[in-house]
Amino acid sequence: MRNEPFPPRVRKVARRSRLGAPVRAHDSRGRAFAWVALLGGAGLVLVPAGLSYLDDGETWLGVPSLLLAAAYLGGAGWILGRTGLAGRGVYLYEHGFVRAANPPQVYAWDDLVAVTMAGVRRSRRGRTTWRFTVVGRDDREVTLGGETPGVGDLGEVVVAEVTRRLVPWYVSVIANGGSVQLGPFTLGPPGIAKDGDLVPWAYVDEVVVSNGVVYVCSTGGKVALAATVGRVPNALALAAVCGQVLGWGDSPQYECGRASPGRSNNLDL
């Protein structure tokens, strides 16, 4: 992939952080500058028109024109300041991503501890609006939302990379008698608990992520526990962990490589 879409300071910090080769740029500035040009151009056209109306004594046309021009120019300035100047682009690399800021913020896959996803669909056939909240080991947090072009594709990569790294650790904790807290759910040797209700592993049929909800299904397909994905950090990791624990059967031995992952439908929320 060519490096031209990646700003020099982003490439520099990525090399220093050993993020590997560039993959894809999610740069919102191009879209922002298009809106700036549209709004700014309309505002600049309306200013002389409004002044001309005022000179001719037609205040009923001049005042609205100047007010509308001020609104257009104000909107262009707000977009330019929020996106164009501050830099809201996110640049994906092999081993993490860089968020354009001052200075650029680096998030390596190995340094991430949680990603919480949420999707909102205004209508049945409408597009899903995505938001991903990513947390690092140093408690740094970044939210990737609608201001980032292709945020759904970007978030899917982030979720997959975080899930791949955290699942073996979570499973190891449970195999050694510990528990893992993921939002309202607690996973431990006895089973899955939420709000004081415990479902023993022997009665768990599967854990799925579907339609924006994490479902813990008991034998017979009945939903025993549930929570929206927006309340569950690492929701897909939770499903994968449960699938591996259920794959043990009657054996308490940790066999990560042989167990099958929990069923989910990735980001089809």
Side-chain angles (χ1 to χ4, degrees), residues 10-244:
V10 169
R11 297 200 300 267
K12 181 179 179 180
V13 73
R15 284 195 302 268
R16 188 166 62 241
S17 302
R18 299 181 179 180
L19 293 186
V23 176
R24 184 169 58 247
H26 295 264
D27 195 341
S28 59
R29 289 176 298 180
R31 182 172 59 184
F33 289 152
W35 276 106
V36 168
L38 179 64
L39 295 175
L44 292 175
V45 168
L46 285 172
V47 168
L51 293 176
S52 176
Y53 286 136
L54 290 179
D55 287 341
D56 294 339
E58 300 182 54
T59 56
W60 62 281
L61 287 174
V63 171
S65 297
L66 292 177
L67 290 175
L68 192 57
Y72 284 157
L73 294 174
W78 182 84
I79 294 173
L80 187 62
R82 180 175 174 82
T83 306
L85 297 179
R88 299 291 177 178
V90 178
Y91 302 88
L92 182 64
Y93 282 81
E94 284 183 294
H95 307 303
F97 66 89
V98 179
R99 181 174 180 266
N102 191 18
Q105 301 167 352
V106 177
Y107 294 86
W109 303 138
D110 290 339
D111 295 333
L112 301 183
V113 297
V115 54
T116 304
M117 56 186 181
V120 177
R121 184 176 296 171
R122 304 298 181 184
S123 63
R124 179 173 298 181
R125 296 185 179 181
R127 296 182 59 183
T128 300
T129 301
W130 290 104
R131 185 177 71 256
F132 300 88
T133 301
V134 182
V135 181
R137 296 186 189 277
D138 54 1
D139 292 330
R140 287 187 306 143
E141 181 177 306
V142 60
T143 298
L144 309 174
E147 77 285 352
T148 303
V151 69
D153 294 334
L154 173 62
E156 187 169 359
V157 173
V158 175
V159 169
E161 294 291 347
V162 172
T163 298
R164 182 165 65 89
R165 285 162 173 78
L166 293 183
V167 166
W169 178 52
Y170 289 159
V171 175
S172 179
V173 169
I174 297 171
N176 286 283
S179 61
V180 175
Q181 183 79 38
L182 294 173
F185 294 103
T186 301
L187 281 59
I192 307 174
K194 175 181 177 286
D195 299 331
D197 295 326
L198 174 68
V199 182
W201 291 115
Y203 295 97
V204 176
D205 183 53
E206 62 178 351
V207 176
V208 299
V209 181
S210 179
N211 296 321
V213 180
V214 179
Y215 297 102
V216 178
C217 300
S218 61
T219 52
K222 179 181 178 181
V223 175
L225 305 172
T228 59
V229 293
R231 296 179 57 205
V232 186
N234 304 327
L236 294 187
L238 183 150
V241 168
C242 293
Q244 292 198 12

